Amino acid sequence: MAIGNDFLANLRKAQVVKKTITRSVRDLITDFQTTKIVIPSYQRTFVWSNDKQCRFIESIFLQIPIPAIFLLEKIEDSENDNTGRVTFEVIDGVQRITTIANFVSGLLKLANLETLTDLNQAKFSQLPSSISSLFMEREIDTIIIQSGTDPEIQFEVFGRLNQGSVSLNAQELRNCMFHGIFNDFLIDCSRNNTYKELLEPFPKFNTPKEGKPDKNRMLDVELVLRFFCLYELFDSEANKYPEVRVETLNGYMRDKKSDRFRSLEDLEEIFKKVIEMIKSVYFGNQFRNFLRKKDQISFVSTLSQSVFEVQMLGFVDYDISQLRDKTEIIYETFLDMSSYDDSFSDAISKATGSRINERVIIWKNRLKDVLENSEKYYEKLDLKKRLFQSNPTCQGTGSIIESLEQADVLDGKLYHRCSLSENDVIKSDKKIGSRVTIKTRTRFYLDGSAYEANDVYEVVDQVLDIVRERIEGSSFDIERLSSLVFIDTHQELSKKCTKPEKTLKRFKPIKLEKQGSGVLYFDASGGRNEVLSQLREIAKLFEFMKDFRIED
């Protein structure tokens, strides 16, 4: 059975440690005014209108039930002793506490009340003492998430409570959860003038007009965090980057104090170096995907997080002096790889979260060749420039090529990139980047053991054998497994086939039977990355698969 003592132990570890306290308005306001209760800085702009604030104050007078205020217990480190100061951050209820504070301080005058009309146009200081005392003694429920709650669970609480019209994204939550020296460092990096210059072409990073929402929402900070996380968590022995999920970024921010990581001074130097290299090579088209659509190929207008990772991580091992006279051929090679290397372009455009390692390694391999064998790249670029300046006509279609970026050369002739599947350099050395296919030998790890498979289908067979052994006899786990869209009976999967003659051969029997339905099969008819992604979905269902990892 997959559910047992381990599940109960994990549940106890994951559950929220909390307590519920009913507080008077007086006590809440006193703690707020003395900064025992604090509002995180990122939430300060989220405020109610005057009418909504007034209706809320009226609700308190009327003792209408209102949602509890959620507070997060924080224990600040003390240099003198082990008893740090305890404060409480508001994680749900910012508008409510702010409204009460506005009313008590005199910033809010009551208006448009429909039930307690006698209070219209009144400020708190103008109320009779009996009425103001009555208000201050009204009670509000508060739920305190205690400091002993696991940080990942605290993050989950933030996310689940934060479901309103101004819900916070993951980086805004990190800004609250992991505030401190490293968080401040990330924000400082995001304010670097060169970095801001690189992001300026993308509208979402522009400073919003007064009264308009901020579209950036700390994305500039999160991009810096992703870069540092990938750089520092790179496994050099396995030549592998981590898949950057929410929990990966959270863990990295939480563990940054560890001695195994580089100093902030080192990271700042690397960051400044890399963004200067980005500017010198790609300026104007940095962080954009060079994409082919029908008979046109050009840079897209939006920032691509995948391209950001490729371009930033590609330069970390070099000094700017190594690139200074090779910027043109690096730029040209990025166009080539985007145009003709399907593995590279797919890893940028499709299933981007799970293919970080693939796209970055392919690009780093090619970049290494560009820097070590620059002559052939310059010969190709120089020929292209001469042919384009002489006659910008595609030798394949006869059409005029509008820009040098859209032009390319094959066998010494000028073509539009859309009419080619390779060029002189790619044709002469197709091995660089080592394309991975469905038949590539694959190594994976599961349940504490390492496995080697001749191809993806063998990976599927081995993983399904392990899953079957562990959950056989558990109708609950079989039911969960069958809920996945790519697992069903042979008959039901067959109904979804568009090319039955090819697809049916790729149904892998799991040899488990769903009650009342029949034997279950795994649909392995997709490409390599799709099939591996499906195996990762299975892994998310079971605790015994938590260490499942595929070595790309």
Side-chain angles (χ1 to χ4, degrees), residues 132-350:
S132 60
S133 295
L134 180 145
F135 177 80
M136 296 296 274
E137 295 308 317
R138 289 293 194 237
E139 294 183 332
I140 296 175
D141 288 336
T142 59
I143 296 177
I144 298 174
I145 309 300
Q146 294 176 273
S147 59
T149 301
D150 183 271
E152 285 297 330
I153 305 305
Q154 291 182 21
F155 191 88
E156 184 70 15
V157 170
F158 271 69
R160 295 197 182 200
L161 289 176
N162 181 50
Q163 298 293 328
S165 60
V166 288
S167 59
L168 306 179
N169 63 34
Q171 190 58 36
E172 289 168 328
L173 293 175
R174 289 185 200 102
N175 185 49
C176 175
M177 287 293 301
F178 308 115
H179 57 71
I181 295 174
F182 184 57
N183 187 62
D184 293 342
F185 170 73
L186 293 175
I187 293 172
D188 286 343
C189 287
S190 74
R191 293 170 177 165
N192 176 282
N193 287 333
T194 301
Y195 183 61
K196 288 170 65 177
E197 189 178 2
L198 294 175
L199 296 183
E200 188 176 0
F202 306 102
K204 69 165 53 181
F205 297 103
N206 294 342
T207 302
K209 295 180 180 178
E210 187 175 353
K212 297 294 183 180
D214 185 359
K215 295 181 181 180
N216 178 2
R217 302 284 303 276
M218 299 194 78
L219 175 58
D220 52 352
V221 180
E222 183 174 47
L223 288 171
V224 178
L225 170 63
R226 290 179 68 90
F227 168 61
F228 288 142
C229 179
L230 285 164
Y231 175 57
E232 293 213 83
L233 296 185
F234 175 67
D235 185 341
S236 57
E237 291 185 4
N239 198 31
K240 186 174 180 63
Y241 290 95
E243 279 191 35
V244 182
R245 301 187 177 95
V246 168
E247 55 269 25
T248 312
L249 294 173
N250 291 353
Y252 174 67
M253 284 199 72
R254 186 175 61 247
D255 299 339
K256 190 64 182 76
K257 295 178 182 179
S258 170
D259 292 339
R260 70 190 179 98
F261 292 119
R262 293 169 175 81
S263 68
L264 298 188
E265 291 77 14
D266 286 346
L267 288 183
E268 183 178 19
E269 183 179 338
I270 291 165
F271 179 72
K272 288 180 176 179
K273 174 192 75 170
V274 168
I275 58 177
E276 287 296 339
M277 294 162 101
I278 294 288
K279 181 178 177 180
S280 67
V281 173
Y282 299 104
F283 192 55
N285 286 316
Q286 66 279 355
F287 311 146
R288 302 180 192 270
N289 194 1
F290 191 63
L291 192 63
R292 183 196 304 241
K293 289 185 178 179
K294 295 183 179 179
D295 58 347
Q296 289 295 319
I297 189 167
S298 61
F299 283 100
V300 301
S301 60
T302 55
L303 180 143
S304 165
Q305 189 169 277
S306 300
V307 174
F308 177 91
E309 293 161 354
V310 165
Q311 294 180 348
M312 293 287 287
L313 293 167
F315 287 147
V316 292
D317 299 324
Y318 300 100
D319 293 323
I320 197 164
S321 59
Q322 295 173 273
L323 274 63
R324 207 173 299 278
D325 61 344
K326 299 179 177 67
T327 56
E328 278 192 293
I329 54 174
I330 295 172
Y331 181 82
E332 178 73 9
T333 302
F334 180 80
L335 304 184
D336 292 347
M337 298 295 287
S338 300
S339 301
Y340 311 122
D341 191 307
D342 291 341
S343 292
F344 181 68
S345 57
D346 285 353
I348 284 177
S349 304
K350 302 174 184 177

Side-chain angles (χ1 to χ4, degrees), residues 494 496-507 525:
S494 300
K496 305 172 187 177
C497 290
T498 55
K499 296 180 179 179
E501 68 282 359
K502 294 183 178 180
T503 305
L504 294 179
K505 297 178 182 178
R506 301 304 183 193
F507 291 170
S525 60

Side-chain angles (χ1 to χ4, degrees), residues 52 62 74 92 102 114 125 153 161 183 193 224 232 236 258 322 325 363 372 379 440 446 451 503 513 521:
K52 195 164 186 177
L62 295 171
K74 291 280 188 178
D92 189 63
N102 287 344
E114 296 179 357
S125 60
I153 305 305
L161 289 176
N183 187 62
N193 287 333
V224 178
E232 293 213 83
S236 57
S258 170
Q322 295 173 273
D325 61 344
W363 174 245
E372 292 178 354
E379 286 177 6
T440 300
L446 175 58
Y451 299 84
T503 305
E513 188 169 347
Y521 284 75

Side-chain angles (χ1 to χ4, degrees), residues 497-551:
C497 290
T498 55
K499 296 180 179 179
E501 68 282 359
K502 294 183 178 180
T503 305
L504 294 179
K505 297 178 182 178
R506 301 304 183 193
F507 291 170
K508 298 286 186 178
I510 306 178
K511 300 176 185 176
L512 290 170
E513 188 169 347
K514 182 180 178 183
Q515 190 172 7
S517 297
V519 176
L520 295 175
Y521 284 75
F522 177 102
D523 182 356
S525 60
R528 181 180 193 273
N529 288 289
E530 181 180 350
V531 172
L532 295 182
S533 178
Q534 290 170 180
L535 291 176
R536 292 186 182 100
E537 285 191 54
I538 293 176
K540 293 176 184 178
L541 295 178
F542 306 114
E543 181 67 19
F544 68 85
M545 293 188 71
K546 65 182 180 181
D547 67 338
F548 179 64
R549 180 168 65 86
I550 299 163
E551 188 176 287

